[in-house]
Amino acid sequence: MMKEAFVNICNVPTRIITYGGWVEESVDDVREVAICITGNPGLPGFYGEFCETLHERLEKKMPVWVIGHAGHDDPPENSLREVPQLKGNEELFDLDGQIRHKIEFIEKYVPENVKIHLMGHSIGAWMVLQLLRNESIRKRIKKCYLLFPTIERMIESPNGWTFTKIGLPLYSVFGFLIALLNRLPKLLLVLLVQIYFWFSSIPSNHLNTVLGYIKATVTEKVVFLAEDEMARVCGLQKDIIRDNMPLLKLYYGTTDGWVPVKYYNQLKEQFPDIDAQLDTKKIDHSFVLRHSKQMGEIIGDMIIENSEILGTK
């Protein structure tokens, strides 16, 4: 059964989605937990079906949690909590701020005796690598699963080029359109989003999440983080890879505009023994939109293989 709540992490209200409940509710019964760090935009709502499928695959014996990024998900309108504005609080919402955000979440909500299966999607994979620099977290990791990992040369990828050369200039010019959209009658806005879903073959269950995303206060933080990614996710952090290879499992796509197949091939050339594989099902980089169930089953099998309560390790 899914639960969701806003919790305060690094002074930012943050939505957490869980399947199997919070660890602290039954510490004696929980030995391992699977935690997913989202891509960008970091809205946990996109990952609901993925995590539900994963939880089922794990026979409901392991809690599954998903955490998004600070500032990417506003609390409900009737909430007393407010997300700080971007201006003057940039340190909360850049890459360093997001890493501190994940560290505090783990330290605050995961008991020290519970082992962690840590999933990172897209930029979430890069954040997972940074978390491995924290020894207190590293020693609690059972395995890390880096999914469609944007861990190097983001700006050199086809999508990185499009974002920096076309997307950012357009956002600078037409960013005010987001505010205008939110002034439309709710029914008209819903209709426009549904038309977009129809043309893009996106399931309608993502409607509420998308409506939460197209807010000026959210979009500006999403774009701000993406700009930081372009500037900072450059060369592969070989030291982290080398020092943590037994903990890593990487899953690359074959149709990925953010992570070209050549990145996978070059990684295997540099680290022949690394546990990395190419997708064979033509799953999109943004798998949560159309391939949630497939990825839930794939990652579920990986976790079972590396779990002491479900597998052989």
Side-chain angles (χ1 to χ4, degrees):
M1 179 179 177
M2 187 193 83
K3 295 182 181 180
E4 64 176 3
F6 273 89
V7 296
N8 221 40
I9 306 172
C10 290
N11 297 316
V12 180
T14 303
R15 187 193 303 269
I16 307 296
I17 291 179
T18 74
Y19 288 83
W22 290 99
V23 168
E24 61 184 12
E25 293 175 354
S26 55
V27 174
D28 294 337
D29 299 330
V30 176
R31 293 162 51 195
E32 300 178 13
V33 62
I35 300 175
C36 178
I37 299 176
T38 71
N40 185 12
L43 288 86
F46 283 126
Y47 292 76
E49 187 177 43
F50 165 70
C51 288
E52 182 179 15
T53 303
L54 176 57
H55 191 226
E56 292 283 346
R57 195 71 166 187
L58 300 177
E59 302 173 15
K60 298 184 178 180
K61 294 180 179 179
M62 186 186 305
V64 178
W65 303 348
V66 56
I67 177 173
H69 302 315
H72 289 204
D73 211 346
D74 281 344
E77 293 181 1
N78 60 354
S79 173
L80 297 177
R81 296 173 173 173
E82 292 186 2
V83 175
Q85 63 180 6
L86 175 60
K87 187 175 181 180
N89 296 292
E90 290 83 359
E91 74 282 354
L92 294 176
F93 306 115
D94 62 9
L95 282 171
D96 288 336
Q98 301 294 352
I99 293 165
R100 290 192 297 270
H101 181 257
K102 308 309 177 287
I103 291 173
E104 181 171 311
F105 170 73
I106 291 173
E107 291 179 342
K108 189 173 183 179
Y109 290 105
V110 185
E112 292 187 4
N113 63 314
V114 175
K115 292 294 185 180
I116 303 170
H117 294 268
L118 190 57
M119 300 167 280
H121 173 216
S122 193
I123 193 60
W126 187 86
M127 293 180 188
V128 167
L129 292 181
Q130 312 319 306
L131 292 179
L132 289 173
R133 293 188 185 276
N134 184 306
E135 186 57 33
S136 67
I137 290 178
R138 183 185 184 277
K139 68 183 181 182
R140 299 157 69 180
I141 299 295
K142 190 67 180 171
K143 194 77 174 182
C144 297
Y145 311 86
L146 311 186
L147 315 179
F148 304 91
T150 54
I151 56 176
E152 60 174 312
R153 295 176 285 172
M154 286 190 68
I155 200 169
E156 297 177 26
S157 68
N159 284 7
W161 186 93
T162 300
F163 174 77
T164 53
K165 302 298 184 182
I166 300 175
L168 276 178
L170 284 177
Y171 177 77
S172 299
V173 175
F174 298 112
F176 69 92
L177 289 177
I178 298 294
L180 292 179
L181 280 175
N182 282 277
R183 293 185 179 183
L184 294 176
K186 182 70 173 290
L187 288 177
L188 179 56
L189 181 58
V190 168
L191 177 62
L192 291 174
V193 173
Q194 287 179 327
I195 291 172
Y196 172 75
F197 279 10
W198 186 79
F199 277 107
S200 303
S201 300
I202 297 174
S204 59
N205 61 297
H206 292 301
L207 176 62
N208 288 334
T209 303
V210 169
L211 291 176
Y213 167 49
I214 51 176
K215 294 180 181 178
T217 55
V218 172
T219 304
E220 66 176 359
K221 297 182 180 75
V222 170
V223 173
F224 175 74
L225 179 61
E227 287 186 89
D228 202 28
E229 294 170 27
M230 297 303 114
R232 293 188 52 193
V233 183
C234 302
L236 184 67
Q237 294 175 306
K238 298 179 184 179
D239 59 329
I240 304 180
I241 300 289
R242 187 179 300 109
D243 294 343
N244 297 281
M245 202 179 303
L247 294 176
L248 301 178
K249 171 73 178 182
L250 296 91
Y251 193 90
Y252 284 79
T254 54
T255 60
D256 195 334
W258 287 108
V259 190
V261 173
K262 68 177 182 180
Y263 287 13
Y264 164 82
N265 292 330
Q266 291 165 355
L267 177 76
K268 292 291 287 185
E269 289 175 3
Q270 296 175 76
F271 299 100
D273 297 326
I274 197 166
D275 187 1
Q277 72 180 76
L278 274 176
D279 168 67
T280 59
K281 304 178 185 299
K282 294 186 177 179
I283 294 176
D284 297 334
H285 179 92
S286 301
F287 68 85
V288 293
L289 296 181
R290 303 177 186 87
H291 302 103
S292 290
K293 290 185 177 181
Q294 287 174 284
M295 283 303 296
E297 293 172 355
I298 290 169
I299 305 308
D301 289 342
M302 293 179 185
I303 291 177
I304 290 171
E305 183 180 349
N306 292 285
S307 169
E308 291 181 1
I309 62 175
L310 293 169
T312 58
K313 294 187 179 180

